[in-house]
């Protein structure tokens, strides 16, 4: 394994990290300034780079930018004092893997470096696979059947019918059939017959002569002429108007056609590949699709599986599309955690591969960090928290802290497995979800109906009704500290949620909550959340 590079002008920091990493049997190399790092990159590279922000002779932020230009996939951990957290936010925008606040807890620092190493090793394997990516991806048995069929048809000009749900990749298969056929050097022309108005479709397919109709000021070659010597892909053939089906059948039978308004037949040397998401046999029975055309097109049928039938391909496709989206947008490709991949693989994807590609494009733009976690997935892919907690979900689609078993360890700035219920219990002194506990869901407390229930206001969030019941119960029991207990629970819940979304970054959490930096620090101390 390549060494971990430590960059810090503080000799004590370098010494502590070197010894700790040596105990973990991880190779390490130290530098005192960014200039030496850039020189070393000429003939070597690290597995992970851990750099301070402020050093004589250069800034860690500038170093991050220059290193990312050379090694875009390298995990970079930025070390910073609390006074430098604003710079740390900029570091994330520059592609930092994570930041490590000083003074840091040594075991947590080593754990973070370990996580970066694991990510780096996994990405090396993934990058190697991506560079060898074929034109079509799929290890699932159903896709392997499709690949075998394409191989068998590679030396044939036979007409092919591709069936499958929308977004499953029918045009991609058609292009592969064309590329690997004897016509591979000829043109590939695609037309979606469902996307063109009926009045224009005939002209699109067969072309028209000058003056054939109003607006036809020049002669125009149709798709059949454009595809001469190559392949014509007719997508959504099941939606073709009935009268045009007759003309298409004649072309397939005779190998010639007339332009609209034309009087001279034109020879057609075109291989036709058709595709549809509809049941053509049923369309024939309904009398809206010609049976003779169906048999003419249905010489060889290829059925593409839906994405939910090949879930094992979702991780590979996801990583490929994240790389593709990043390249298209000119940004660094984001990585995705195993938990987030598992969440994606469990989704049915009614829009199939096209929907997955759109999700990856969304994540490239919208995910806040370089590593995509489950909470970063778009709203339609998240099952969501319980209905009683749904009103607390942020508007950007990320789940609230109440829906996650993980909350931010605000002392160390990292995410630690602390139950939010336990945290709130420690703050308010009342277990979450027990009689008398705030935010206890839709449990029947035996309390009288709330005012909102009596008035029948449907827009009141569930948690407010629960809070009202809880407050009523406490007041009826004569508890003297109702205001303090519930206020502390409420404030702790908001701060925990904001810190989880910002991965423990207090300044950013304060900005999201609309409070000051000093206010959130004081509240964390008052609520005992940094213990």
């Amino acid at each position: 394994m390549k060494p971990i590079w430590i960059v810090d002008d503080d000799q004590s920091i370098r010494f502590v990290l070197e010894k700790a990493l040596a105990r973990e049997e991880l190779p390490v190399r130290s530098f005192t300034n960014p200039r030496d790092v850039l020189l070393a990159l000429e003939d070597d590279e690290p597995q992970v780079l851990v750099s301070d922000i402020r050093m004589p002779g250069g800034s860690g932020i500038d170093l991050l930018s220059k290193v990312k230009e050379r090694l875009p996939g390298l995990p970079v951990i930025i070390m910073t004092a609390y006074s430098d957290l604003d710079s740390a936010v900029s570091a994330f925008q520059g592609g930092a893997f994570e930041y490590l606040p000083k003074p840091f807890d040594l075991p947590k620092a080593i754990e973070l470096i370990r996580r970066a190493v694991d990510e780096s090793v996994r990405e090396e394997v993934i990058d190697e696979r991506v560079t060898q990516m074929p034109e079509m991806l799929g290890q699932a048995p159903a896709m392997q059947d499709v690949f075998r069929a394409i191989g068998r048809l590679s030396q044939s000009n036979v007409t092919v019918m591709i069936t499958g749900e929308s977004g499953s990749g029918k045009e991609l298969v058609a292009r592969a059939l064309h590329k690997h056929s004897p016509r591979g050097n000829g043109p590939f022309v695609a037309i979606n017959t469902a996307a063109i108005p009926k009045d224009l479709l005939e002209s699109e397919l067969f072309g028209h002569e000058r003056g054939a109709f109003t607006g036809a000021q020049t002669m125009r070659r149709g798709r059949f002429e454009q595809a001469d010597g190559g392949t014509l892909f007719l997508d959504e053939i099941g939606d073709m108007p009935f009268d045009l089906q007759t003309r298409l059948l004649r072309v397939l039978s005779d190998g010639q056609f007339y332009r609209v308004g034309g009087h001279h037949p034109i020879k057609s040397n075109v291989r036709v590949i058709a595709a549809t998401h509809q049941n053509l046999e049923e369309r024939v029975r309904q009398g809206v699709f010609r049976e003779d055309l169906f048999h003419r097109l249905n010489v060889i049928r290829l059925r593409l599986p839906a994405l939910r039938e090949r879930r094992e391909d979702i991780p590979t496709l996801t990583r490929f599309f994240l790389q593709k989206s990043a390249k298209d947008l000119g940004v660094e490709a984001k990585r995705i955690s195993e938990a987030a991949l598992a969440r994606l693989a469990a989704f049915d994807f009614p829009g199939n591969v096209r929907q997955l590609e759109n999700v990856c494009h969304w994540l490239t733009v919208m995910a806040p960090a370089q590593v995509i976690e489950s909470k970063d997935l778009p709203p339609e892919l998240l099952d969501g928290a319980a209905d009683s907690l749904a009103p607390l979900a942020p508007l950007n689609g990320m789940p609230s802290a109440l829906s996650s078993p993980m909350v931010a360890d605000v002392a160390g700035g990292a995410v630690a497995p602390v139950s939010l219920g336990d945290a709130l219990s420690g703050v308010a002194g009342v277990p979450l979800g027990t009689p008398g506990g705030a935010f206890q869901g839709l449990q029947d407390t035996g309390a009288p109906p709330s005012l909102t229930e009596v008035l029948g206001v449907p827009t009141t969030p569930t948690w407010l009704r629960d809070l009202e019941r809880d407050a009523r119960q406490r007041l009826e029991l004569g508890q003297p500290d109702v205001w303090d207990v519930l206020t502390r629970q409420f404030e702790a819940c908001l701060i925990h949620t904001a810190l989880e979304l910002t991965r423990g970054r207090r300044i950013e959490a304060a900005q999201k909550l609309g409070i000051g930096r000093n206010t959130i620090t004081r509240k964390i101390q008052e609520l005992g959340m940094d213990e």
Side-chain angles (χ1 to χ4, degrees), residues 449-488:
S450 68
L451 179 62
T452 54
E453 288 173 318
V454 171
L455 294 176
V457 181
T459 57
T460 304
T462 305
W463 69 272
L464 276 178
R465 295 200 298 271
D466 297 335
L467 177 62
E468 187 177 340
R469 291 193 189 106
D470 191 27
R472 182 188 298 274
Q473 191 174 51
R474 289 174 181 271
L475 292 169
E476 288 176 346
L477 291 172
Q479 294 183 7
D481 56 352
V482 176
W483 180 273
D484 288 341
V485 169
L486 295 183
T487 300
R488 287 167 66 84

Side-chain angles (χ1 to χ4, degrees), residues 212-484:
F213 50 83
T214 303
Q217 298 178 357
T218 60
M219 185 275 291
R220 184 180 185 280
R221 297 166 66 239
R223 301 300 175 92
F224 268 95
E225 283 186 78
Q226 295 170 20
D228 188 56
T231 302
L232 177 63
F233 175 54
L234 301 175
D235 199 7
E236 300 302 346
I237 191 70
D239 293 306
M240 177 176 278
F242 197 85
D243 52 347
L244 278 183
Q245 294 175 29
T246 304
R247 288 206 62 181
L248 177 60
L249 177 63
R250 187 174 300 116
V251 177
L252 296 177
S253 302
D254 303 339
Q256 61 183 23
F257 62 92
Y258 292 85
R259 296 192 190 112
V260 176
H263 303 288
H264 303 288
I266 299 172
K267 284 289 184 180
S268 172
N269 178 21
V270 171
R271 180 194 191 183
V272 172
I273 298 176
T276 182
H277 72 281
Q278 302 189 54
N279 184 332
L280 285 189
E281 288 93 336
E282 181 61 30
R283 300 276 290 174
V284 169
R285 283 192 290 271
Q286 293 171 355
V288 293
F289 198 86
R290 292 183 61 106
E291 184 174 7
D292 45 5
L293 177 60
F294 168 73
H295 292 301
R296 177 70 68 171
L297 294 172
N298 194 40
V299 179
I300 298 290
R301 184 185 297 206
L302 282 181
R303 178 189 174 274
L304 278 188
L307 189 54
R308 61 183 174 276
E309 299 174 34
R310 43 183 293 223
R311 295 183 190 273
E312 57 265 53
D313 291 337
I314 290 178
T316 304
L317 288 167
T318 299
R319 293 185 177 112
F320 173 75
F321 286 137
L322 286 174
Q323 293 275 349
K324 181 175 180 291
S325 293
K327 184 177 179 181
D328 292 344
L329 295 172
V331 298
E332 181 185 355
K334 291 185 175 177
R335 301 176 294 275
I336 185 165
S337 69
E338 294 299 325
L341 279 176
R343 195 69 172 266
L344 283 174
F347 187 67
D348 279 345
F349 285 102
N352 292 293
V353 179
R354 185 184 296 125
Q355 184 181 7
L356 176 60
E357 183 174 9
N358 290 341
V359 166
C360 292
H361 197 75
W362 186 94
L363 288 169
T364 299
V365 175
M366 300 298 294
Q370 280 302 110
V371 179
I372 299 166
E373 303 292 348
S374 296
K375 62 184 176 62
D376 301 326
L377 298 177
E380 65 267 22
L381 269 67
L382 295 171
D383 294 333
D387 290 343
S388 60
L389 302 176
L392 291 177
L395 292 178
N396 64 1
M398 297 181 185
S400 75
L402 292 176
S403 66
S404 171
M406 306 290 286
V407 297
D409 175 2
V410 294
V415 175
V418 181
S419 163
L420 183 59
D422 293 342
L424 294 186
S425 299
V427 171
V430 179
L432 193 71
T434 58
F439 312 116
Q440 59 187 333
L442 296 174
Q443 299 174 9
D444 184 5
T445 63
S450 68
L451 179 62
T452 54
E453 288 173 318
V454 171
L455 294 176
V457 181
T459 57
T460 304
T462 305
W463 69 272
L464 276 178
R465 295 200 298 271
D466 297 335
L467 177 62
E468 187 177 340
R469 291 193 189 106
D470 191 27
R472 182 188 298 274
Q473 191 174 51
R474 289 174 181 271
L475 292 169
E476 288 176 346
L477 291 172
Q479 294 183 7
D481 56 352
V482 176
W483 180 273
D484 288 341

